[in-house]
Amino acid sequence: MRPARIAAAAVLAAAVLCVPQPAQAAVFKHPGVLVSRAQLDFVRANLGNEPWKSAWASLQRSAQASLSYTAKPRATVDCGPGSKPDNGCSDERNDSMAAYTHALQWYLTKDARYAKKAIQIMDAWSAVISKHTGSNAPLQTGWAGANFSRAAELIKHTYPGWAQAARFAGKLRSVYLPVVIAGAPNNNGNWELIMTDAAIGIAVHLDDRASFDRAVATWRGRLPAYVYLTTDGSVPKAPPRSTYDTKAEIIDYWHGQQTFVDGLTQETCRDFWHSGWGLAAIAHVAETAGHQGVDLYSTAKHRLRRAMDLHARVQLTGTVPSWLCGGKVKADLGAHYEVGYNALHQRLGYDDMPYATQWVERKRPVGMSHFLAWETLTHARNPQYAGMGLSATPDFDADGVGDLFSTATGTLTVWNGRGDDTFGPPATAGGEWSGFSRPVAGDYDGDGLTDLLAVKKDTHTLHVWNGQGGNSFGPATELGPGWEPYADSLVTLGDINQDGRTDLGAVHSRTGVFTFWNGKGGNAFGSGTPIGGGWTGFSRPVAGDFDGDGIGDLLAVNEDTHVLHVWNGRGANNFTGAAEVGPGWEPYAGSLMSLGDVNGDGRPDVAAVNAETGTLYVWNGRGGNKFGSATSVGAGWKTSF
């Protein structure tokens, strides 16, 4: 192929893939603020079972659930430190939680009286509210804004009779959003995280993509400045836009703590209650973003699980190490974990949080407080997914960014992603790979770290190398024989049956039948299940959540037409039929790879090396099976792929 033709093919592929996005109002999935329709349908089906039965009874007994509840709106809500003076602060919080409580009752019972009560409360406030004042105003706006956005989202998109919906949306935009979207970089971190929880909920309800993206960016910046991991360096990161720029200032901001360990929060040495608020808000934002196809849990999972277990351990055991807060803490952790715990344990399969597990089970059923309401009911053991489509991400240094890897030279080489479509220098991660098939990456043992699978060429046995973080792996473990016909087409599927485990697939080299093996965790897989033939005419498939619904999809190139196709996962191990994504993929078919997220937008990206020029390109995912234009990473990659 002549260079001009190669360039034309690349441009054509990029042009076809860079399809204009639909109007912003069509981008968001509704209802999609903290809870989705699928999640609530799961709850409805389980109201007679525990723990939902007790949680439902607790909700129904609350004062906010009464049909005689009366709102107490006012034009100005004035809140001083600790809500003192309390001029409408408690009233607004209670009313916003009551609106959400009635919205939940409406959906779970389909009794229109509850929808009308939620509307009555929200209409009362939208008729008069004009501003929040006082030193606690930003936090108050976050508390109420988070609750009101959830209530409004449920009512607007599941009940047909809200005449003043636009007026309420207008107040969310004019009174609440400008305050919460601004953030609070110099305050204790729970402020900015709670405000961001409200901001992303309001943005979704308003179909406001710019505000949604801004909220996600604020969350990304605040996360490592609130929960510490040793990979951050010797001291925690400073909040973006804050005035903290020296080690002494950061230590003071972290309430005097000078020894930093995984899971410590910026407010640990203040008290556990506010730390719990911060962790809850981190999970809330990730949950809402996930409903919109943006996976933030892949970025937050290690920080969240370390922080949740650390605080629960101290809370439950009463043992405070001398290095922690001078040996004295205010252990007043509340019922703050349900949403994050469900995502980490139920969906992602983490089993290494024993103290967090004990704490969650002890605090059930969760009631309501400030911006937390009925989360045992809505999220306990809820398998419905929120942005869990990146379980096949090759992330060998556990930083939440996809990495490149290759064994083409007989040595495992890793290029760690930097989060901006670029990669670090090559790092050698192990030799003796010439006797194995091209490996695939995923979390096969359920510990949250990326592992590798490959087939030994002479024995046709499948082997796993469990990741240890830091681009290192344990020794090879043999999993079983009989993999000869699948060795050249292994693909990590992500999760295609919505059980939170990573699944495996491959095409039989002689029959062309695609087979999957559901992951069981602990490096175990179920029996192979064939689901369709006709795959011999396609390139080796790659997987990712390309439509943003949290379920693994497949991509492959038709070797006759050179058209890229997608098969979207439907859950329950089912896929749609093939849909064309775009032509011009001939030079990329042999090296197509799914990277996870390499540009920090929460969507999975793909890459390939042009077989003629050796140039590596990245196509950033846009959701909805769409990709941006090709971005050149650089030349000289032909020998690696």
Side-chain angles (χ1 to χ4, degrees):
M1 179 180 288
R2 297 190 303 274
R5 185 180 171 193
I6 296 170
V11 170
L12 178 59
V16 171
L17 286 175
C18 193
V19 178
Q21 293 294 294
Q24 295 300 337
V27 170
F28 294 99
K29 298 176 183 177
H30 301 291
V33 177
L34 189 61
V35 293
S36 68
R37 190 184 301 271
Q39 284 177 316
L40 292 181
D41 287 343
F42 171 84
V43 175
R44 285 185 70 196
N46 283 281
L47 288 177
N49 304 318
E50 294 294 355
W52 308 278
K53 181 179 179 180
S54 295
W56 177 233
S58 178
L59 179 151
Q60 291 179 304
R61 289 193 301 267
S62 70
Q64 281 81 358
S66 172
L67 286 169
S68 62
Y69 186 91
T70 301
K72 299 177 181 178
R74 60 176 68 200
T76 300
V77 176
D78 179 48
C79 306
S83 296
K84 297 176 182 178
D86 182 350
N87 295 318
C89 315
S90 297
D91 290 340
E92 185 186 33
R93 290 198 303 272
N94 287 332
D95 288 356
S96 65
M97 287 187 287
Y100 180 50
T101 299
H102 282 283
L104 287 173
Q105 287 188 110
W106 144 247
Y107 193 90
L108 296 176
T109 67
K110 299 305 179 183
D111 184 336
R113 293 178 301 165
Y114 295 118
K116 292 175 181 177
K117 176 57 69 172
I119 289 170
Q120 183 186 82
I121 295 168
M122 290 187 284
D123 283 353
W125 277 91
S126 68
V128 299
I129 183 66
S130 63
K131 61 183 176 180
H132 296 82
T133 60
S135 60
N136 230 40
L139 185 57
Q140 172 71 24
T141 310
W143 286 329
N147 295 324
F148 271 142
S149 65
R150 296 165 198 161
E153 179 77 354
L154 273 181
I155 295 299
K156 179 180 177 181
H157 296 287
T158 67
Y159 182 76
W162 189 8
Q164 296 294 337
R167 187 179 75 185
F168 190 82
K171 289 302 177 76
L172 287 178
R173 182 178 295 281
S174 63
V175 177
Y176 293 85
L177 184 59
V179 176
V180 295
I181 200 69
N186 286 315
N187 289 68
N188 281 306
N190 83 86
W191 274 50
E192 188 163 70
L193 289 165
I194 292 168
M195 293 163 68
T196 304
D197 183 8
I200 197 169
I202 293 170
V204 169
H205 185 66
L206 298 178
D207 291 303
D208 184 342
R209 172 59 61 180
S211 294
F212 178 91
D213 290 343
R214 184 174 173 184
V216 169
T218 298
W219 181 94
R220 289 186 185 280
R222 174 57 76 167
L223 176 67
Y226 193 73
V227 182
Y228 176 80
L229 288 180
T230 53
T231 53
D232 295 334
S234 60
V235 295
K237 297 182 181 298
R241 301 184 297 117
S242 73
T243 58
Y244 309 117
D245 53 13
T246 69
K247 180 178 180 179
E249 288 173 340
I250 291 175
I251 288 174
D252 183 63
Y253 181 55
W254 283 61
H255 299 275
Q257 179 67 16
Q258 298 188 46
T259 300
F260 299 100
V261 300
D262 286 348
L264 196 75
T265 79
Q266 180 262 320
E267 297 184 90
T268 299
C269 293
R270 179 190 182 192
D271 58 57
F272 283 14
W273 180 266
H274 289 94
S275 295
W277 271 0
L279 297 176
I282 288 169
H284 286 181
V285 175
E287 196 79 2
T288 296
H291 292 315
Q292 308 309 323
V294 177
D295 181 8
L296 297 183
Y297 280 118
S298 62
T299 299
K301 59 187 180 182
H302 298 305
R303 296 181 193 272
L304 267 181
R305 66 192 180 102
R306 298 304 186 200
M308 289 166 63
D309 213 52
L310 184 153
H311 291 81
R313 182 177 74 244
V314 175
Q315 181 78 37
L316 288 165
T317 65
T319 301
V320 184
S322 59
W323 54 262
L324 180 61
C325 311
K328 295 178 65 176
V329 298
K330 187 176 182 181
D332 55 352
L333 187 64
H336 301 134
Y337 284 0
E338 195 78 75
V339 174
Y341 179 78
N342 184 65
L344 295 170
H345 178 71
Q346 175 68 34
R347 297 180 186 146
L348 289 177
Y350 286 110
D351 295 320
D352 59 351
M353 302 182 293
Y355 296 101
T357 299
Q358 292 179 50
W359 188 249
V360 168
E361 292 176 349
R362 175 178 293 191
K363 301 302 289 185
R364 284 176 175 165
V366 174
M368 61 180 183
S369 173
H370 294 79
F371 71 114
L372 304 159
W374 317 120
E375 293 180 352
T376 298
L377 179 68
T378 57
H379 286 82
R381 303 181 195 169
N382 199 315
Q384 301 303 320
Y385 275 36
M388 295 292 175
L390 300 183
S391 58
T393 295
D395 179 17
F396 303 113
D397 55 356
D399 65 351
V401 181
D403 306 321
L404 288 168
F405 67 103
S406 171
T407 57
T409 63
T411 298
L412 175 62
T413 303
V414 173
W415 296 262
N416 293 125
R418 291 169 168 160
D420 59 356
D421 289 330
T422 66
F423 299 86
T428 300
E432 306 299 327
W433 280 86
S434 58
F436 290 89
S437 65
R438 176 179 167 183
V440 294
D443 179 18
Y444 309 116
D445 59 356
D447 67 351
L449 299 173
T450 302
D451 313 314
L452 291 171
L453 279 179
V455 176
K456 200 168 189 296
K457 294 177 181 178
D458 56 356
T459 63
H460 312 307
T461 50
L462 184 66
H463 290 69
V464 64
W465 294 257
N466 290 127
Q468 299 174 337
N471 298 328
S472 63
F473 299 85
T477 300
E478 185 176 315
L479 299 185
W483 289 84
E484 181 266 337
Y486 304 107
D488 293 334
S489 62
L490 280 179
V491 55
T492 300
L493 298 176
D495 180 22
I496 62 170
N497 64 340
Q498 296 180 284
D499 67 350
R501 304 295 193 270
T502 304
D503 305 318
L504 188 66
V507 177
H508 195 289
S509 60
R510 293 183 290 276
T511 66
V513 172
F514 188 87
T515 298
F516 68 83
W517 295 261
N518 289 132
K520 303 299 183 185
N523 298 324
F525 294 88
S527 57
T529 302
I531 57 173
W535 283 82
T536 51
F538 288 89
S539 65
R540 173 179 177 164
V542 299
D545 180 18
F546 304 117
D547 60 356
D549 67 353
I551 305 171
D553 310 315
L554 291 169
L555 281 179
V557 177
N558 186 303
E559 294 177 344
D560 291 330
T561 64
H562 314 307
V563 173
L564 183 66
H565 289 71
V566 64
W567 294 257
N568 291 126
R570 288 177 167 174
N573 298 319
N574 293 314
F575 291 84
T576 64
E580 290 190 6
V581 178
W585 286 83
E586 179 182 5
Y588 307 105
S591 61
L592 187 66
M593 59 191 113
S594 180
L595 302 180
D597 177 22
V598 297
N599 68 335
D601 67 353
R603 296 183 174 90
D605 309 314
V606 297
V609 175
N610 188 301
E612 296 290 334
T613 67
T615 300
L616 175 67
Y617 292 93
V618 169
W619 291 264
N620 293 129
R622 299 290 186 243
N625 299 325
K626 298 179 177 64
F627 296 85
S629 56
T631 298
S632 173
V633 176
W637 291 85
K638 186 183 295 186
T639 58
S640 297
F641 296 97

